[in-house]
Amino acid sequence: MQASADSTKMDCLWSNWKCQAIDLLYWRDIKQTGIVFGSLLLLLFSLTQFSVVSVVAYLALAGLSATISFRIYKSVLQAVQKTDEGHPFKAYLEMEMNLSQDQIQKYTDCLQLYVNSTVKELRRLFLVQDLVDSLKFAVLMWLLTYVGALFNGLTLLIMAVVSMFTLPVVYDKYQAQIDQYLGLVRTHINTVVAK
């Protein structure tokens, strides 16, 4: 019974996160989306200038400085006002943050499924089970060598983040025109493939 309740809770959390992600990508709450988009870009641009270790250390120091300052501020405020409010982060310190064995098992089973299917597909492609699929994979890898020569992984990640936050809004706004042009391209490709 507990596993069923945990599964239902996880499904509810997943759908909630999915709705929040969609709201972010469609800029439904401009302030929140701007903060997330700006923070992601700032993080990625800082990774272009500094190492990952430095960026993580600076972020940890900034967060620690903020929490220590807030704790000292609240302690001084309590001493001056002679109140007994207690620790400002007490609710967060007492919050339960343990993953259950069932949740860990569910995530590891899902990860195992993805790893196994990826390994099987790569084995199929590299050992040429189907010549056409292996040739398509070879062409894709050859094209990726050119992409890799033009861009590094971090640049591609920055472009992906910018695209994630701009393309859904552009498509939502100009859906009719984009669908019309995509239909023309699709029919043109179909005629070329048919010939």
Side-chain angles (χ1 to χ4, degrees):
M1 188 69 170
Q2 179 66 21
S4 171
D6 285 343
S7 176
T8 304
K9 190 186 306 182
M10 288 303 294
D11 291 340
C12 183
L13 283 173
W14 174 250
S15 67
N16 189 20
W17 287 340
K18 188 176 176 183
C19 291
Q20 288 176 347
I22 289 171
D23 289 346
L24 279 175
L25 295 179
Y26 280 94
W27 294 77
R28 294 193 176 124
D29 183 0
I30 294 175
K31 185 178 179 182
Q32 185 178 12
T33 301
I35 289 171
V36 170
F37 182 54
S39 299
L40 277 173
L41 280 182
L42 181 66
L43 175 69
L44 291 173
F45 282 128
S46 64
L47 286 173
T48 63
Q49 299 299 317
F50 303 106
S51 70
V52 173
V53 174
S54 296
V55 171
V56 169
Y58 283 131
L59 287 174
L61 280 173
L64 194 57
S65 298
T67 55
I68 288 172
S69 300
F70 186 70
R71 170 80 193 273
I72 291 171
Y73 167 75
K74 283 299 219 178
S75 296
V76 169
L77 196 62
Q78 287 174 9
V80 169
Q81 294 179 348
K82 298 186 192 288
T83 61
D84 191 24
E85 293 179 14
H87 196 287
F89 301 115
K90 185 177 182 179
Y92 296 109
L93 289 170
E94 293 174 351
M95 189 182 301
E96 187 67 32
M97 295 185 67
N98 295 331
L99 286 174
S100 70
Q101 188 69 23
D102 293 334
Q103 290 171 329
I104 292 173
Q105 186 66 37
K106 182 179 177 181
Y107 291 133
T108 55
D109 288 346
C110 186
L111 179 67
Q112 180 185 10
L113 181 76
Y114 287 130
V115 168
N116 286 340
S117 64
T118 302
V119 167
K120 283 180 185 177
E121 185 64 21
L122 287 175
R123 180 183 65 186
R124 189 181 76 77
L125 291 171
F126 278 105
L127 298 179
V128 195
Q129 182 178 354
D130 184 6
L131 181 63
V132 175
D133 286 345
S134 294
L135 288 175
K136 287 178 187 177
F137 184 66
V139 169
L140 176 66
M141 292 299 109
W142 179 69
L143 290 174
L144 285 179
T145 62
Y146 286 104
V147 171
L150 294 173
F151 306 105
N152 66 16
L154 202 51
T155 305
L156 290 173
L157 192 58
I158 291 170
M159 290 170 47
V161 167
V162 170
S163 297
M164 277 181 8
F165 280 92
T166 56
L167 292 180
V169 175
V170 169
Y171 181 73
D172 195 38
K173 190 171 185 178
Y174 301 105
Q175 184 175 3
Q177 294 93 334
I178 292 172
D179 286 345
Q180 177 185 358
Y181 289 119
L182 285 177
L184 290 173
V185 168
R186 190 177 302 124
T187 56
H188 184 68
I189 289 174
N190 288 339
T191 58
V192 169
V193 169
K195 288 181 182 179

